[in-house]
Amino acid sequence: MAFSQETIEFIKKECQRYETRRSAILPCLYRAQKEDPNNQVTPEAVAEMATLMELPEVQINEVLHFYTMYNKKPVGKLHVQVCTNISCSMNGGREMAEHLCKEFNVNYEEVSSDGRYTISRVECLGSCDTAPMMQVNDKYHENLTKEEAVKLLKDM
Amino acid sequence: MPKCKINGQEVEVEAGTTIIEAFKKLDSEIAHYCYHPGLSVAGVCRLCMVEIEGNPRLQIACNTVVQDGMVINNNSEKVKETVKWGLDFHLINHPLDCPICDQAGECELQIQYMKFGQYDPEMAEPKVKKNKVVDLGSKIVLDSERCILCSRCVRFTEEVSKTNELGIFNRGDRSEIGTFDGKPLENDYAVNTVDICPVGALTSKDFRFRQRVWYLKNKETVCPGCSTGCNVKSYYNEEGLFRVKPRQNDEVNGYWMCDKGRDTYKFVNKENRLLEPKVGQSGQWDSQEVDGVMSVMSTKIDDAVKSAGSDKVALVLTGQYTSEEYASMLSYFVGHLKSKNVYHWVNNPESFDEFDGLLLRGDRNPNTKGLLNGLDQHGITAPWSDLETKLNAGDIEVLLVAGPEDPSVFPTLTEKVSLFSKAKNLFWMSAAKTEAADSATTKTWQIPLKTYAEKEGTFVNHKGIEQKIQPMVNIVDCAQTLSEVASALSGQKVDHLGSLVKDRKTNHFINHHGGGL
Amino acid sequence: MEIKLLSEHYDKPEFQGLDGYKKLGGYEPLKKAFQMQPKAIIEMVKESGLRGRGGAGFPTGVKWGFLPDNGEPRYLLCNADEGEPGTFKDRLMMERAPHQLIEGMIISAFAVGSHKGYIYIRGEYNEPTAILQKAIAEAYDAGLLGKNILGSGFDFDLDVYQGAGAYICGEETGMISSLEGKKGQPKLKPPFPAVQGYLGKPTIVNNVETLAAVKYIIRDGADGYRKHGTEKSAGTKLFSVSGNVMKPGTYEVPLGYKLMDLINIECGGLKPGRKLKAVIPGGSSAPVLTAAECADATMDYENLAQKGTMLGSGAVIIIDDTNCMVDMLKVILHFYHHESCGQCTPCREGTGWLHKIVSSIYSGTGRLQDIDLIQQVADHMAGKTICALSDAAAMPAVSFVQKFRSEFEFYVREGRSKVKGAVDAQV
């Protein structure tokens, strides 16, 4: 899949935005992920980015594989990231994550059969006073119970 | 210049010198995996820890600059304990598969383990699983579980070859070396990554499983692959050569060599060699004795000179031989035959002046400069076209050709042999067994020559730096050097060779091994 | 009692926009700063005693003083990569008061002579990023950013850069690597960022709260700021309190405030029937305090250092008696194992090793010698690497094992937690 014209323009612009083209790798990877139908960054996308940005593929690939917010495999329409770090674990974050997997019949990091859900356990999201909480795509949902989380996701 | 004390020994160093360099200057031992003098400092293996008086925290020697008056040690209990643990951290996820690892015997992990360790690993939990036997293309295989992530290979492809194939992907103890999307690591310098890999993570496909390194000897020599003349070590046993690795020479090659140069061991070995003299033409050949061929050559030359003058005899030289050999051949021609009928065969004129910007030069001969110096000294200037004209006119009775040692750098070999076949008698001298030579259509004597691994002598590189090679193996007993040929032709004993050329160095190898001529 | 200096107007929605912010006194300190000599501002910050609020607590004015006078361009980077587990005060600050940070950055940039700044914000913080971007646009429109700010002749450009999920980018050189478009791996020091930072140029990296506080130092003067806090820990601090308390949240109190007051007064105490077991006072990397140690603890750099722990990022995690300390440590070590960047061997291998040892105790297959091994491994990780992540994993491991050894021993012997019902789920 080749990038859309808008994405190509975006990448070119980001390459001008910072002191070096290399700094544009992180924002451009986000863009590539957003454009991907499976919400991931594929090797083809990395190769296309490398050409557009005139950077070695390996530099982009290193960045892709270092940061956890870039998906290296397909992710459901709703990427549900449940914090299981210390304060959330103390307040039922882990149980909530387990519950969601059961409820949507999906293993962690996999896509539910209807393509809607991927459940991940993630590290601290900086919302410890509202534990347990989850991030669904870009948004935080805080002060949850397991049941509320399920309802919220079903209603999305 | 700052002075410091290392383990009680005083040393003075240039300003800006790091502690690890100061250790090296003293030849004092210091454990390290990620430091490499030809690469940027990574400071990640954390093994080169030193204690500096007045600093409660141990410092890494590779990233700490010597300050005047520093008192440094790496033999206190505190440092030893840290290095031991540093080694332990390297080993807990390492497969410890030395018995089946090709690096065994020259593995830095093994060496440090023998020094500090020899204990059972502390970790009771399962090791991290990573990719094994990863094919990185035609030259290299990767075993990620053995990799200690020192990042030398990555820094090499980034900083030296500037080809950026390798990266470290993922993070923490899941980190792995790799290429993007399985692309091969195929640049012309790729195998340097195998040399600098301190463990058995990157191994050379060409060398792996062929020999245990402790069964190989090595000698310092010069790569004959091009006019750069990279300083190398060749590894051999009685069967022949097995591999070539670079050794440091800041003036010539730094720490590296190209992958083409690494192949130069192959033409030394028996399977690629002309094993005995032979006579014949057009694919029909009979074996000969060396002495017999030498006397035929001598007679043919004498006859041609006597009947038609020395103009009827010509000599073709390539840049593949030592300066000493050129000196003897040219003395014979100019001094003995009074002929300047000598021609320089440029094997690849189209790409001769190319340079890849790092080490590899288009002049794929080790000693073109030495040859040109020799021709110059004797005032030999005849262009190649003269030879062509004479051959085409049938004016050459006897042609002596010192052909390729490495035929792979002679792209127009067959073409040239067919040109040389226009001489009445062709004496083809070469280390190599080639179809091209066998296709000669005039009466031809093939005489096996010695390779750079079987003789002593000098190569002059493109910058004019004279470098010595030395013999390490004897693959073809009857093979000759050009000097031996020259002395046989001039009727001189080898012992008297010294008088033939002024200031000529004695060829010890001939004295030792080439008797009986 | 809370002293709301920075957070005074956080409950007013209009404080987020430029107009409301100005009405509440915003950008007045900037005008005052422009009347001062940059050197005088640096001196004032030094005198104020402000120390870095991100975790290390390094004196801010001193850090600024490390910049070389070599005419090279300088960068001012705001560290908004808030990732230390338990910390969430920077998020609140950026959401409620983006202009407070922007103003603090302009003043700081003017002081250190920087004309380009970035706010490096963690990738998950999408909402704060959007709010900051909007505020920056407002500031440009109002002539508060860009060329010749408010006619002062001073130029300053500011941009936001989003990380992508890596705790290590909160380490200042890791952050610089990331901003350069690389893996967020910390750089060797020396050279320090003030000498060679972003793209090899002199660079100052300060936390959100630190930069915002600069505004109040200008407004109130060094003495005015020093009125709050203690001799060596001047000013107020925003504490992120989470865990087992009735009212977790962000509270601004003067440094030197009693930990038990923070728990009992600001946070409404523990849940009925629960007993305090432990407190992690400065984010998950800070050594844990037992309930007994908490009794006389005050929230300042010196007191916590005396108790063998640290103020860190001001993330206070309250642990009551329903929690199993083996479980807690496992969660913490999972985090550092997950987040180690992988370049230095002791950290790369050690974080995984520690996590595996505690996990095997947790799953009932631990050995008694593992408890001492945790201590040994941690000892040889600490202080041996490029950055402090290795220490951040080692410190909680050592303190948990030392202070709650009986729980670890019980777990090894019995194959289950000493705390009833704590880890039934085994998740």
Side-chain angles (χ1 to χ4, degrees):
Chain A
M1 191 201 72
F3 290 145
S4 67
Q5 198 52 45
E6 291 77 34
T7 294
I8 292 170
E9 292 304 319
F10 175 87
I11 291 173
K12 285 184 174 159
K13 229 168 125 186
E14 285 295 300
C15 284
Q16 304 293 316
R17 178 169 172 180
Y18 309 99
E19 285 75 10
T20 60
R21 284 200 309 282
R22 201 168 176 178
S23 288
I25 293 177
L26 274 80
C28 292
L29 278 170
Y30 273 126
R31 180 76 185 209
Q33 176 159 301
K34 210 165 188 164
E35 185 158 292
D36 187 273
N38 295 313
N39 194 20
Q40 62 172 337
V41 184
T42 60
E44 295 74 46
V46 171
E48 193 175 352
M49 267 177 71
T51 310
L52 284 166
M53 300 177 80
E54 296 170 49
L55 289 171
E57 289 152 335
V58 78
Q59 283 182 3
I60 300 171
N61 211 46
E62 278 196 327
V63 171
L64 171 67
H65 286 266
F66 186 82
Y67 296 93
T68 54
M69 289 178 66
Y70 303 124
N71 303 320
K72 275 67 83 175
K73 54 181 202 173
V75 166
K77 291 267 169 304
L78 299 174
H79 191 190
V80 184
Q81 306 185 63
V82 182
C83 173
T84 54
N85 206 296
I86 185 157
S87 300
C88 283
S89 275
M90 289 161 73
N91 285 289
R94 288 178 292 187
E95 289 79 0
M96 187 167 88
E98 289 283 291
H99 185 74
L100 292 177
C101 284
K102 272 195 202 118
E103 184 67 31
F104 297 111
N105 193 26
V106 63
N107 292 323
Y108 291 119
E109 309 300 334
E110 288 176 5
V111 184
S112 62
S113 55
D114 58 2
R116 255 175 81 80
Y117 305 104
T118 294
I119 319 281
S120 303
R121 286 171 295 188
V122 298
E123 300 299 352
C124 185
L125 291 170
S127 193
C128 325
D129 54 339
T130 59
M133 59 80 65
M134 64 183 181
Q135 181 179 3
V136 183
N137 297 343
D138 288 352
K139 279 197 83 138
Y140 280 18
H141 302 273
E142 300 165 316
N143 289 314
L144 298 166
T145 63
K146 305 190 259 199
E147 293 75 21
E148 282 166 0
V150 171
K151 185 172 183 313
L152 217 117
L153 288 168
K154 281 187 174 165
D155 290 348
M156 277 182 191
Chain B
M1 296 225 300
K3 269 187 210 151
C4 67
K5 243 186 192 161
I6 288 176
N7 295 335
Q9 213 181 335
E10 195 153 283
V11 61
E12 191 169 356
V13 294
E14 300 263 318
T17 302
T18 57
I19 294 177
I20 203 167
E21 289 162 348
F23 267 82
K24 301 250 164 197
K25 189 171 176 187
L26 282 180
D27 223 2
S28 190
E29 262 184 58
I30 184 158
H32 62 87
Y33 293 142
C34 66
Y35 168 80
H36 189 284
L39 302 170
S40 65
V41 172
V44 295
C45 76
R46 316 303 291 179
L47 231 54
C48 65
M49 290 283 187
V50 291
E51 195 170 7
I52 302 167
E53 222 174 74
N55 192 336
R57 234 179 111 129
L58 298 183
Q59 299 294 317
I60 50 169
C62 63
N63 193 50
T64 311
V65 172
V66 173
Q67 305 291 336
D68 196 40
M70 263 186 181
V71 180
I72 305 156
N73 84 75
N74 72 337
N75 54 16
S76 69
E77 282 313 307
K78 191 175 171 185
V79 176
K80 281 189 197 159
E81 178 75 358
T82 301
V83 177
K84 182 205 160 288
W85 271 88
L87 180 64
D88 230 23
F89 284 123
H90 278 91
L91 287 172
I92 55 165
N93 280 310
H94 186 85
L96 303 173
D97 59 346
C98 315
I100 56 156
C101 177
D102 218 46
Q103 189 83 359
E106 53 184 2
C107 170
E108 295 290 329
L109 268 184
Q110 236 181 5
I111 291 165
Q112 296 301 335
Y113 176 79
M114 295 312 282
K115 251 181 233 162
F116 290 94
Q118 301 193 49
Y119 47 80
D120 289 332
E122 301 263 16
M123 193 170 80
E125 285 72 25
K127 293 172 190 275
V128 178
K129 290 275 162 230
K130 291 184 185 174
N131 292 309
K132 294 184 83 74
V133 208
V134 181
D135 190 336
L136 290 183
S138 64
K139 302 174 186 175
I140 297 166
V141 178
L142 163 69
D143 184 321
S144 277
E145 288 185 353
R146 290 180 189 154
C147 173
I148 56 167
L149 294 158
C150 70
S151 80
R152 280 181 177 181
C153 57
V154 177
R155 281 176 281 150
F156 179 85
T157 56
E158 197 176 310
E159 299 163 9
V160 182
S161 69
K162 296 190 168 70
T163 44
N164 292 295
E165 293 99 339
L166 287 172
I168 298 176
F169 307 126
N170 219 319
R171 66 189 192 204
D173 61 7
R174 287 87 60 215
S175 302
E176 266 187 67
I177 299 283
T179 58
F180 167 67
D181 207 21
K183 285 199 166 180
L185 174 58
E186 292 283 16
N187 71 68
D188 286 341
Y189 293 84
V191 184
N192 286 289
T193 60
V194 174
D195 295 338
I196 59 179
C197 180
V199 297
L202 296 173
T203 47
S204 152
K205 280 193 177 174
D206 188 52
F207 180 69
R208 69 201 302 253
F209 307 137
R210 288 186 55 219
Q211 274 297 327
R212 279 304 197 183
V213 293
W214 52 85
Y215 293 129
L216 293 178
K217 288 174 256 184
N218 68 75
K219 271 192 183 172
E220 296 187 348
T221 186
V222 173
C223 174
C226 83
S227 60
T228 299
C230 291
N231 290 208
V232 297
K233 258 186 194 172
S234 287
Y235 291 75
Y236 64 96
N237 64 16
E238 62 286 351
E239 288 169 35
L241 265 57
F242 283 80
R243 65 175 179 185
V244 182
K245 279 172 176 277
R247 60 192 164 90
Q248 186 193 353
N249 185 335
D250 292 338
E251 264 189 291
V252 178
N253 55 309
Y255 303 89
W256 322 114
M257 71 181 296
C258 76
D259 290 354
K260 289 205 165 80
R262 286 171 199 275
D263 283 339
T264 57
Y265 78 87
K266 291 180 182 162
F267 63 74
V268 173
N269 292 343
K270 215 158 198 162
E271 59 271 22
N272 296 315
R273 296 292 294 277
L274 179 59
L275 297 176
E276 55 184 6
K278 50 187 184 179
V279 64
Q281 66 190 88
S282 307
Q284 302 290 316
W285 299 90
D286 295 317
S287 295
Q288 297 276 293
E289 292 293 321
V290 174
D291 290 351
V293 177
M294 287 299 169
S295 73
V296 172
M297 186 168 13
S298 183
T299 311
K300 289 277 180 197
I301 293 170
D302 284 351
D303 290 352
V305 172
K306 271 178 204 148
S307 62
S310 61
D311 263 9
K312 298 283 173 187
V313 181
L315 170 65
V316 169
L317 293 170
T318 59
Q320 304 247 300
Y321 299 92
T322 63
S323 296
E324 291 78 358
E325 289 174 288
Y326 295 137
S328 358
M329 266 326 242
L330 291 172
S331 290
Y332 166 68
F333 250 71
V334 180
H336 195 91
L337 295 182
K338 313 283 179 225
S339 163
K340 292 191 176 183
N341 223 3
V342 182
Y343 301 91
H344 176 199
W345 175 7
V346 179
N347 35 347
N348 53 337
E350 295 79 24
S351 54
F352 201 77
D353 295 324
E354 284 176 4
F355 177 49
D356 74 350
L358 197 47
L359 292 172
L360 182 64
R361 289 177 189 273
D363 174 7
R364 301 291 304 279
N365 301 286
N367 201 21
T368 295
K369 197 97 174 179
L371 171 57
L372 294 176
N373 288 346
L375 295 175
D376 232 30
Q377 271 172 24
H378 291 284
I380 295 166
T381 53
W384 182 256
S385 53
D386 282 8
L387 176 69
E388 286 179 336
T389 312
K390 286 181 185 173
L391 281 166
N392 286 328
D395 282 349
I396 303 293
E397 286 281 326
V398 181
L399 180 62
L400 274 58
V401 180
E405 194 164 302
D406 177 6
S408 74
V409 297
F410 285 71
T412 59
L413 200 53
T414 317
E415 219 174 273
K416 286 291 185 304
V417 170
S418 113
L419 172 70
F420 300 150
S421 291
K422 291 177 176 164
K424 287 222 175 67
N425 300 289
L426 173 61
F427 289 88
W428 175 262
M429 300 176 283
S430 170
K433 171 179 76 185
T434 61
E435 280 182 23
D438 288 352
S439 72
T441 51
T442 185
K443 178 139 196 192
T444 302
W445 289 261
Q446 292 194 40
I447 300 142
L449 291 185
K450 283 180 163 40
T451 63
Y452 77 105
E454 297 157 296
K455 64 193 174 192
E456 199 176 42
T458 308
F459 287 154
V460 184
N461 86 343
H462 73 104
K463 277 187 189 170
I465 300 173
E466 292 189 9
Q467 308 193 100
K468 297 288 175 202
I469 59 167
Q470 54 173 333
M472 53 195 87
V473 287
N474 198 10
I475 303 292
V476 179
D477 285 335
C478 63
Q480 306 291 300
T481 64
L482 290 182
S483 305
E484 287 167 320
V485 172
S487 35
L489 291 175
S490 52
Q492 306 254 349
K493 285 272 183 233
V494 170
D495 301 79
H496 303 134
L497 263 180
S499 62
L500 292 176
V501 183
K502 224 179 154 195
D503 298 332
R504 188 181 178 284
K505 285 208 169 77
T506 316
N507 191 329
H508 293 292
F509 182 62
I510 293 172
N511 286 334
H512 293 156
H513 303 279
L517 274 174
Chain C
M1 261 274 292
E2 274 198 275
I3 292 182
K4 293 193 171 184
L5 189 67
L6 277 69
S7 61
E8 185 184 358
H9 303 298
Y10 283 5
D11 53 353
K12 301 185 181 79
E14 67 269 26
F15 199 57
Q16 203 191 68
L18 180 58
D19 290 344
Y21 180 74
K22 275 184 167 170
K23 272 191 197 121
L24 292 164
Y27 290 110
E28 289 306 318
L30 175 63
K31 290 177 195 160
K32 189 173 163 191
F34 281 148
Q35 302 306 312
M36 297 170 69
Q37 288 300 316
K39 283 222 166 78
I41 299 176
I42 297 177
E43 277 314 303
M44 189 185 257
V45 171
K46 274 185 191 163
E47 281 164 25
S48 76
L50 175 65
R51 292 167 68 165
R53 299 293 193 234
F58 195 82
T60 305
V62 177
K63 195 180 206 178
W64 290 0
F66 290 151
L67 283 167
D69 230 347
N70 57 6
E72 280 197 296
R74 292 140 175 222
Y75 292 95
L76 177 67
L77 310 183
C78 170
N79 188 341
D81 191 63
E82 189 171 53
E84 179 73 21
T87 320
F88 43 88
K89 45 115 189 158
D90 292 341
R91 181 161 78 102
L92 180 86
M93 296 184 73
M94 292 184 286
E95 284 178 354
R96 301 288 170 86
H99 283 286
Q100 192 181 64
L101 171 60
I102 295 168
E103 184 176 4
M105 282 194 79
I106 304 169
I107 298 171
S108 304
F110 178 66
V112 301
S114 165
H115 302 291
K116 182 69 193 267
Y118 285 100
I119 300 170
Y120 183 98
I121 188 167
R122 60 180 296 184
E124 294 88 345
Y125 281 2
N126 286 301
E127 208 174 317
T129 301
I131 291 167
L132 276 174
Q133 278 166 338
K134 191 173 160 223
I136 287 174
E138 283 181 322
Y140 267 105
D141 286 346
L144 290 159
L145 284 172
K147 295 256 173 275
N148 189 19
I149 296 169
L150 300 178
S152 63
F154 177 68
D155 306 337
F156 183 60
D157 283 302
L158 183 60
D159 204 348
V160 183
Y161 193 90
Q162 261 191 298
Y167 165 71
I168 194 59
C169 295
E171 199 275 350
E172 61 180 4
T173 57
M175 197 189 103
I176 289 168
S177 295
S178 183
L179 185 61
E180 288 169 348
K182 303 172 188 166
K183 296 184 283 184
Q185 291 186 319
K187 301 182 183 214
L188 282 168
K189 286 151 274 193
F192 289 91
V195 180
Q196 278 179 48
Y198 177 56
L199 302 173
K201 299 283 182 282
T203 301
I204 292 292
V205 184
N206 288 133
N207 170 256
V208 174
E209 189 183 347
T210 314
L211 288 163
V214 170
K215 166 189 163 173
Y216 295 92
I217 293 167
I218 300 297
R219 189 188 74 179
D220 302 342
D223 288 341
Y225 187 75
R226 288 198 79 100
K227 270 205 323 244
H228 314 293
T230 69
E231 170 72 29
K232 285 183 179 158
S233 299
T236 61
K237 168 101 191 76
L238 278 79
F239 288 99
S240 317
V241 191
S242 65
N244 305 129
V245 284
M246 292 303 284
K247 291 190 293 173
T250 305
Y251 300 96
E252 185 176 10
V253 295
L255 286 165
Y257 196 67
K258 283 189 180 131
L259 171 58
M260 290 315 293
D261 283 353
L262 183 64
I263 296 172
N264 291 322
I265 300 172
E266 271 68 37
C267 298
L270 276 66
K271 287 182 187 163
R274 305 270 182 96
K275 266 174 59 188
L276 184 66
K277 183 187 234 176
V279 170
I280 301 171
S284 70
S285 58
V288 66
L289 294 172
T290 60
E293 289 172 314
C294 291
D296 62 343
T298 57
M299 298 306 286
D300 52 80
Y301 299 103
E302 317 86 270
N303 184 278
L304 291 177
Q306 274 167 22
K307 290 191 154 33
T309 183
M310 59 190 195
L311 188 78
S313 58
V316 188
I317 302 164
I318 316 295
I319 301 168
D320 72 20
D321 59 349
T322 62
N323 296 285
C324 168
M325 296 310 268
V326 177
D327 183 27
M328 293 288 98
L329 182 59
K330 191 197 72 160
V331 170
I332 291 173
L333 291 176
H334 178 276
F335 173 74
Y336 292 105
H337 180 199
H338 186 257
E339 297 299 336
S340 167
C341 84
Q343 58 177 348
C344 300
T345 309
C347 175
R348 177 183 70 238
E349 305 296 335
T351 50
W353 194 0
L354 285 179
H355 179 219
K356 282 179 188 170
I357 299 171
V358 176
S359 296
S360 72
I361 295 176
Y362 180 82
S363 61
T365 59
R367 310 165 300 177
L368 270 181
Q369 70 255 42
D370 285 340
I371 300 171
D372 291 326
L373 188 57
I374 292 173
Q375 180 112 27
Q376 281 182 307
V377 172
D379 279 350
H380 288 95
M381 290 166 64
K384 304 292 193 300
T385 49
I386 291 176
C387 82
L389 192 144
S390 202
D391 304 67
M395 288 188 292
V398 170
S399 66
F400 269 66
V401 169
Q402 270 175 358
K403 296 179 183 179
F404 298 92
R405 193 175 176 101
S406 69
E407 284 198 33
F408 286 82
E409 287 175 349
F410 185 94
Y411 218 128
V412 169
R413 275 198 309 270
E414 306 289 327
R416 65 182 167 86
S417 177
K418 198 176 178 184
V419 184
K420 266 197 177 146
V423 282
D424 283 352
Q426 286 276 327
V427 281

